[in-house]
Amino acid sequence: MSKHLFIGIAGGSGSGKTTLADRLAAHFGSRLSLLRHDNYYKAQSSLTLKERATLNFDHPDAFDTELLIRHLDALREGKSIACPVYDYAIHDRSREVRTVEATDVIVLEGILIFENPEILKRLDVKIFVDTDADVRIVRRIKRDVSERGRDLDSVISQYLTTVKPMHEAFVEPSKRHADIIVPEGGRNHVAFEMITERIVSHLNRKEQA
């Protein structure tokens, strides 16, 4: 059996996928490593802050997919990686990197991780968090204003011009690749218990091997 279990958690912006991923990370502690797709946005330091703010961050081309794939392969080989850290306030990567260890379970969460065939091939379990669009936009507004320093007008404008159309073009169609569809993400306690049982089963089989 594979030494590492790779779990992908996808879903629209504000769906609850991050809450689910964070709950799993808290539950399993040092046996689980968490990767966020957002940290793999391409570096855009050559652009001004104003120019970066107008970029389409919800299109697959916004991500450094090659680097992410190299990192997933390195983790499967048991090697630690230096994961980039994205700064939402400046719409760019920060100068920091974060060491991620090749633990028993690696969770990758992000809106577009099921859109790319090469990423899909590297995931053992694929979970799509499905939440009503009205709920997602309200959550996004609250998050971006309170946590990411955005103003209300810019959040609404970004949602209408890129987030919503890109969700319809790329995120929603990628749902067909999911093994499990979870309504409401981290707030779905029954689904959370089922997912934790799958992880515990992997850990137990690994210990008995």
Side-chain angles (χ1 to χ4, degrees):
M1 67 171 282
S2 174
K3 182 179 179 181
H4 307 283
L5 178 68
F6 284 76
I7 299 175
I9 302 177
S13 177
S15 61
K17 64 188 178 304
T18 301
T19 301
L20 175 58
D22 287 345
R23 283 192 67 190
L24 291 171
H27 187 83
F28 289 100
S30 61
R31 302 199 73 173
L32 184 150
S33 290
L34 178 55
L35 291 177
R36 303 191 191 279
H37 201 198
D38 283 6
N39 283 324
Y40 288 86
Y41 278 124
K42 292 176 180 175
Q44 302 288 357
S45 57
S46 62
L47 301 179
T48 66
L49 176 60
K50 187 176 181 179
E51 289 171 332
R52 293 197 297 269
T54 64
L55 295 173
N56 183 353
F57 291 99
D58 293 86
H59 191 281
D61 290 345
F63 294 91
D64 189 346
T65 302
E66 291 183 5
L67 176 61
L68 173 58
I69 289 172
R70 289 201 303 271
H71 280 179
L72 292 174
D73 289 345
L75 289 168
R76 192 172 288 279
E77 293 170 4
K79 302 172 185 175
S80 63
I81 61 166
C83 178
V85 176
Y86 187 75
D87 187 337
Y88 296 99
I90 63 171
H91 305 283
D92 201 3
R93 285 186 192 173
S94 70
R95 295 182 180 181
E96 298 177 57
V97 293
R98 180 175 65 91
T99 300
V100 176
E101 303 293 341
T103 52
D104 298 320
V105 182
I106 291 96
V107 172
L108 171 65
E109 67 97 356
I111 60 172
L112 289 168
I113 59 172
F114 294 171
E115 183 276 335
N116 185 280
E118 290 302 314
I119 296 176
L120 279 173
K121 286 194 293 189
R122 289 160 170 81
L123 300 174
D124 303 306
V125 179
K126 297 175 286 294
I127 302 166
F128 189 94
V129 178
D130 201 13
T131 303
D132 185 80
D134 291 341
V135 175
R136 288 190 285 105
I137 180 56
V138 170
R139 288 178 182 169
R140 184 182 176 95
I141 289 172
K142 291 176 64 177
R143 179 199 67 195
D144 285 4
V145 171
S146 64
E147 298 177 17
R148 299 181 180 178
R150 309 281 171 81
D151 64 82
L152 181 59
D153 288 343
S154 71
V155 176
I156 293 174
S157 175
Q158 185 182 29
Y159 179 81
L160 293 175
T161 56
T162 60
V163 177
K164 185 175 185 291
M166 294 301 100
H167 178 89
E168 293 169 352
F170 297 108
V171 182
E172 189 66 24
S174 77
K175 182 165 63 176
R176 70 183 186 275
H177 299 298
D179 301 308
I180 306 167
I181 295 176
V182 176
E184 294 297 317
R187 295 167 176 80
N188 188 323
H189 301 298
V190 173
F192 181 78
E193 290 178 4
M194 293 174 64
I195 295 164
T196 56
E197 287 175 7
R198 172 66 178 86
I199 294 173
V200 168
S201 175
H202 169 80
L203 296 176
N204 288 342
R205 287 200 306 271
K206 183 185 172 187
E207 290 173 355
Q208 294 167 6

